[in-house]
Amino acid sequence: MVAPAVLVVATLRLWPLLLGVNYSFTGDGARDGVPVGLDNYAELFDDPLFRTALENVGLLVLLLPVAVAVPGMLATFIFLRVPGHRLFRSVYFFPAVLSPVIVGAIFNLLLAFDGPLNSLLEKAGIGAVDWLGDPDVAMFTVVGVHVWATFGMALVVFLAGFSTLDTTLLDAARVDGASLARVIRHVIVPGLSRTIQFVFVTTMIGMLTSMFGLLYVMTSGGPEGSTYLPEYYIWIQQGQMNRPALASAASTVLFLIMLVVGLAQIGLLRRAGREN
Amino acid sequence: MKRPALWSVVLAAGLLSGCGSAGSGSSSGTADGTLVVWDWKSGEETAASYIEQAKADFAAQHPDVKVEFVAQPFDQYYTLLGTAIQAGKGPDVMLFNGGGQIRDRADALLPLDEYVTGDRQRLAGWEAFTAKGKTYAAPVTLQGHPLYYNKALYEEAGLDPDRPATTWREFTDDCEAITEATDASCLSLGNKEGFGIQFFLSGLGPGVLTPREYDAWIAGDRDWNSPRVRRIFELWKETGDTGLNNEGANSTALFNDAFALFQSGKAAHVVGLMSDVGHWKDFGEFLDPDDIGVMQAPRAEAGAEPVLPYDGGIGYAVAKWTKKPALAADLVRSLTSKDALQAFYADAGAVVSDTTVDVSDGGAALSAITSEIGAGRPALHVALSTETLDLMGRLSQQILSGSTGVDEALEQLADSDRKG
């Protein structure tokens, strides 16, 4: 009974993966098909562009708490029934159904140097910001748009988590005169610890693997290569530079990064399971 | 415990040996009676009559052969093609941009020299499809980088629209007059994808390099340390520093935003194209065609002799793995037949590779371009490898933002160009 499943996994998953890894040890161009050992990996880590892509992975991890806090806070307000909470629930979720290409195109218009946001900023006397053309700003802009576009899913998960929250604790806190901040800190956050961990891990994976569309449309990896992520690097090397073996090496590195993230996910969930 | 360890060692050794490659697969060729063509043009409305004309020409010679065009999205075209090349299977005939894109993939293509001798004299632009002395595609269009200007803005600024600047000094003076009298910027620059520097180098470089240095550059003998090459990149920096460019050039896409700035009258000049997009006909949809001027690159250094920079634009090639090389080459010849190219010009406004095609109804801007084709030279950026162009795009963004100096950028470009 297990054999068909093993066969499917081995032929459709493991075998292509091994072929890709194997290919990363061959050369490109004139050395096509020639074993080159670790040359591609040496070139990869010698390439400042790939190092930038890896640094940006680190930046995404650092920005992760923001990406989790935004849907967490908004879900809290919806749960606490702020006026219009039903409308907010729909509005917050709406971007999740949009394609990254559409989202990117919309924000390209909004964030253009001569676009409406900068017009507003200039009217307010703040001055225009080159949201997509300043290498110190562009990555934060793209991450911000990604968070805007995807937090709806995390919000739904949070709302599901809230439905399991013990409301008697909330009532008790209110009766005791606890402020909103104290209710969030001492009742909601501990009560949702498993949900928060789950959202943390899934958001992290989403940020590492689902930003290609936005990057492609919004910055094309620029300016100055400042918004490169490993995915985008792989695509450029394979498609534009005609370096498929180097792209395979980069894919293998990305796979290893994702493996670490996956193992961290398993570890977190196991720990959460034990705590509960 | 020993067995998994042993298997791990065997697996690792196998992987590290890197035996085999996707690129070493065998070719499959095509089904009998059908030729498959990949391109990104056949799905466009403006190319419909061109494709029909080419099909008719081919059908007249080979009525039993079916031709199937598969229009691919341009932004993924070379990725898809790269996968086909690695697999050793794919279309019989495929469209390429001239320059690095085809030269990088010449190993997968069939040399066409023996098949296209009859078209040598009729068509121009072969050099862009030539690698190591062999021709790998027949040119369909000519792609050049004329400097377009808006005559209406010149008039508004009190300048003579029929006497554009011939020196860089005059050019910056004109720009100053235009920016003072109008809301327009001097240059429309889109460098979001790093394409801006390619157009700048080819469009304005002829006003800097001597003919000898220009020819050496094209021939591959490039001196990145020469004062004149440095001058081109200093001009690039100057256009940013002195505000000649539109604001936010590094976040403006060349296609279509920078062209849109020009055709909406928000910029006085743009280094445009002459094939079938970003050209005189596109601009004429929004500007009065009589207001579209074409000028030579202003001379920034004594001894420079500005010319129209152009090469073969797009061209059809034949895959090495095709089982019907002669048939495929015949299809390429049909795709570059005079009637087909005439139709492409008529519908898309493309300056086609057949210079005998009648373009007299195209207006003043097109006449100015075509009159320079005879004296023109290949564009400077087309001679560079894809890798160097990619690096130049990023470095050009750094030069504009001030995070890299011209000397440091030239050093890196020289290194990249040396590696080829």
Side-chain angles (χ1 to χ4, degrees), chain A residues 2-18:
Chain A
V2 182
V6 171
L7 198 66
V8 168
V9 169
T11 52
L12 298 181
R13 294 281 180 177
L14 292 178
W15 183 238
L17 179 70
L18 289 175

Side-chain angles (χ1 to χ4, degrees), chain B residues 2 8 72 84 165 191 254-255 413:
Chain B
K2 283 184 180 174
S8 302
Q72 308 281 12
N191 201 40
L254 182 60
F255 301 89
L413 288 168

Side-chain angles (χ1 to χ4, degrees), chain A residues 23 25 35 130 216 218 224, chain B residues 15 17 75 86 251 397 401:
Chain A
Y23 193 39
F25 296 113
D130 200 356
Y216 184 79
M218 291 185 71
E224 309 178 19
Chain B
L15 292 175
S17 71
D75 54 0
Q86 291 306 318
S251 54
Q397 292 169 337
S401 72

Side-chain angles (χ1 to χ4, degrees), chain A residues 18 21-23 25-26 28-30 32-38 43 47 49 108 112-114 122 130 132-133 135 216-220 222-225 228 235-244, chain B residues 11-12 14-24 74-76 78-80 82-83 85-86 101 104-105 107 192-193 247-252 261 266 386-387 390 394-395 397-399 401-403:
Chain A
L18 289 175
V21 176
N22 178 48
Y23 193 39
F25 296 113
T26 66
D28 284 315
D32 181 33
V34 177
V36 298
L38 294 169
E43 184 177 347
D47 185 349
L49 204 54
N108 268 354
F113 194 85
D114 57 351
E122 281 183 344
D130 200 356
L132 300 171
Y216 184 79
V217 174
M218 291 185 71
T219 63
S220 304
E224 309 178 19
Y228 261 73
W235 187 82
I236 287 288
Q237 293 302 331
Q238 153 67 16
Q240 305 298 306
M241 301 293 124
N242 199 27
R243 300 287 311 272
Chain B
L11 182 63
L15 292 175
L16 282 168
S17 71
C19 50
S21 82
S24 59
F74 178 66
D75 54 0
Q76 293 168 35
Y78 288 106
T79 306
L80 296 168
T83 307
I85 288 172
Q86 291 306 318
Q101 294 291 15
D104 289 352
R105 296 165 175 85
D107 288 347
K192 179 177 177 179
E193 297 90 351
E247 290 180 313
N250 273 349
S251 54
T252 302
L261 284 175
K266 291 179 181 171
T386 314
E387 205 163 320
D390 184 60
R394 284 196 303 282
L395 290 171
Q397 292 169 337
Q398 292 175 6
I399 291 172
S401 72
S403 60

Side-chain angles (χ1 to χ4, degrees), chain B residues 43 66 90 119 134 140 143 204 247 304-305 313 327 342 368 414:
Chain B
K66 187 181 166 196
D119 300 324
K134 291 180 179 172
V140 173
Q143 186 58 285
L204 298 171
E247 290 180 313
E305 292 177 15
L327 267 184
Q342 178 82 53

Side-chain angles (χ1 to χ4, degrees), chain B residues 1-13:
Chain B
M1 288 298 286
K2 283 184 180 174
R3 185 162 289 180
L6 178 65
W7 276 110
S8 302
V9 170
V10 170
L11 182 63

Side-chain angles (χ1 to χ4, degrees), chain B residues 232-256:
Chain B
I232 296 174
F233 285 83
E234 283 169 353
L235 290 180
W236 169 261
K237 182 172 167 55
E238 182 187 325
T239 57
D241 290 350
T242 60
L244 296 185
N245 300 328
N246 49 290
E247 290 180 313
N250 273 349
S251 54
T252 302
L254 182 60
F255 301 89
N256 296 307

Side-chain angles (χ1 to χ4, degrees), chain A residues 75-83 85 170 174 180 183-184 188:
Chain A
T76 305
F77 293 139
I78 289 174
F79 175 70
L80 295 176
R81 298 178 189 280
V82 293
H85 61 276
L170 277 174
R174 282 179 184 142
L180 177 64
V183 169
I184 291 174
I188 293 180

